[in-house]
């Protein structure tokens, strides 16, 4: 009887050790998976940051080239036109429209150069920068752009937030102007209770069934939003236009 009881006890201890060993193995496996996932997330975050940094570097170079090269050449052309008008007053009537067009083109290039340069965006108030870009577009496109802003109290954004929010705004507008065939674009920005920017159009729209079917531009916007912990929501259907909403997700 004693031997049977001892055997049962030893068996229970052995089973307990096996169970404990299995639990330890499972915990170790879970830990390894978490560490692997964290490394993957860290790598993906680093990769996304590198891509965004490269994109910004390219845009800054384009901005510099527009300002230093194209802008200066237009200034020289306008200077030559003014001299020609002084030397040949009889050509004033013919040259004045050309001089005016060159001046407008020069101003347009200057505005585009500023819009592409992230340092200028960082130095400005973000909402004023968006408002100024909408105003520029309203003057230079036949598409109706309706802008509404609710900002009370004044909201502070980090430099990274300013750049990324502004780039997403630009990408949305660019998509609506180039691909959506829209006749009207609405831009709505609110900062309370949290920041939210919604850009909608009445264009052709499209269908999104899964992430893999998103265009490169939409994926890029999604990546940029995630890098500052914002959420990008896309609502679209064929023939019903598109609305893209960017929401601050940090305190959710």
């Amino acid at each position: 009887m004693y031997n049977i009881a001892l055997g049962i006890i030893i068996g229970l201890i052995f089973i307990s050790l096996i169970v404990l060993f299995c639990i330890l193995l499972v915990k170790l496996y879970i830990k390894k998976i978490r560490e692997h996932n964290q490394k993957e997330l860290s790598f993906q975050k680093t990769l996304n940051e590198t891509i965004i940094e490269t994109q910004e570097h390219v845009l800054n170079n384009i901005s510099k080239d527009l300002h230093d090269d194209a802008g200066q050449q237009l200034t020289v052309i306008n200077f030559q036109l003014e001299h020609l008008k002084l030397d040949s007053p009889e050509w004033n009537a013919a040259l004045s429209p050309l001089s005016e067009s060159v001046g407008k083109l020069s101003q347009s290039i200057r505005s585009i150069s500023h819009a592409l340069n992230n340092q200028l965006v960082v130095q400005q108030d973000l909402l004023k920068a968006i408002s100024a870009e909408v105003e520029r577009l309203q003057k230079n496109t036949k598409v109706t752009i309706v802008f509404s802003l609710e900002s009370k109290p004044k909201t502070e954004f980090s430099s990274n937030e300013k750049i990324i929010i502004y780039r997403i705004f630009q990408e949305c507008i660019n998509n609506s102007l180039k691909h959506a065939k829209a006749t009207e674009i609405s831009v709505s920005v609110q900062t309370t209770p949290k920041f939210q920017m919604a850009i909608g159009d009445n264009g052709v729209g499209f269908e999104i069934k899964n992430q893999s079917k998103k265009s490169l531009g939409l994926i890029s916007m999604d990546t940029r939003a995630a890098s500052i912990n914002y959420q990008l929501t896309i609502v679209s259907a064929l023939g019903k236009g598109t609305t893209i909403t960017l929401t601050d997700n940090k305190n959710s």
Side-chain angles (χ1 to χ4, degrees):
M1 188 70 178
Y2 173 77
N3 289 336
I4 294 174
L6 183 61
I8 292 172
I9 292 172
I10 292 173
L12 289 173
I13 293 173
F14 182 70
I15 292 171
S16 298
L17 288 173
I18 292 175
V19 171
L20 181 61
F21 180 70
C22 290
I23 292 173
L24 289 173
L25 282 178
V26 171
K27 285 186 175 181
L28 182 61
Y29 178 70
I30 292 173
K31 182 181 178 183
K32 289 293 184 182
I33 289 177
R34 285 177 177 172
E35 289 176 352
H36 176 73
N37 288 341
Q38 286 175 352
K39 287 180 181 179
E40 285 289 326
L41 288 172
S42 178
F43 172 76
Q44 188 62 46
K45 183 178 179 181
T46 302
L47 180 62
N48 290 340
E49 288 175 351
T50 302
I51 292 171
I52 291 171
E53 185 177 340
T54 302
Q55 290 173 337
E56 289 302 317
H57 182 68
V58 171
L59 290 174
N60 282 343
N61 284 341
I62 294 173
S63 169
K64 188 174 184 300
D65 288 342
L66 282 173
H67 183 272
D68 295 345
D69 188 9
Q72 288 185 6
Q73 288 188 37
L74 284 172
T75 299
V76 171
I77 291 172
N78 201 36
F79 183 75
Q80 291 172 337
L81 285 171
E82 292 301 320
H83 267 277
L84 190 58
K85 285 160 67 176
L86 289 173
D87 293 340
S88 306
E90 67 275 12
W91 289 4
N92 277 4
L95 291 176
S96 289
L98 181 59
S99 180
E100 185 178 344
S101 295
V102 170
K104 288 181 179 179
L105 180 58
S106 178
Q107 181 60 40
S108 180
I109 286 178
R110 184 173 179 273
S111 298
I112 293 171
S113 172
H114 286 179
L116 293 176
N117 192 310
N118 63 22
Q119 292 305 310
L120 293 173
V121 174
V122 168
Q123 292 167 11
Q124 297 182 72
D125 177 274
L126 173 64
L127 302 181
K128 286 183 179 179
I130 290 175
S131 179
E133 182 64 5
V134 169
E135 193 173 318
R136 183 187 74 82
L137 290 168
Q138 287 172 331
K139 294 177 181 177
N140 293 281
T141 179
K142 295 179 180 179
V143 176
T144 301
I145 302 178
V146 180
F147 179 60
S148 64
L149 170 64
E150 295 178 16
S151 177
K152 295 179 181 180
K154 184 178 179 181
T155 306
E156 297 294 334
F157 299 93
S158 68
S159 296
N160 208 28
E161 283 179 308
K162 283 184 176 183
I163 293 169
I164 289 175
I165 292 171
Y166 192 74
R167 292 297 182 231
I168 290 174
F169 158 75
Q170 287 180 312
E171 182 70 22
C172 288
I173 295 293
N174 185 61
N175 286 344
S176 293
L177 291 174
K178 287 191 173 182
H179 307 299
K181 299 179 181 178
T183 58
E184 184 173 316
I185 300 172
S186 64
V187 180
S188 174
V189 179
Q190 66 178 53
T191 58
T192 55
K194 60 183 178 181
F195 177 85
Q196 186 174 83
M197 177 175 67
I199 301 175
D201 64 55
N202 64 347
V204 296
F206 58 94
E207 291 184 355
I208 302 177
K209 292 182 179 179
N210 53 55
Q211 181 77 10
S212 63
K213 291 189 177 181
K214 283 186 180 181
S215 70
L216 187 60
L218 294 178
I219 292 173
S220 175
M221 285 193 288
D222 212 6
T223 299
R224 284 177 176 268
S227 72
I228 55 172
N229 202 14
Y230 278 52
Q231 181 178 354
L232 194 76
T233 305
I234 303 169
V235 178
S236 186
L238 289 174
K240 296 184 178 180
T242 301
T243 299
I244 298 178
T245 306
L246 180 68
T247 307
D248 184 352
N249 206 32
K250 294 193 293 295
N251 299 319
S252 298

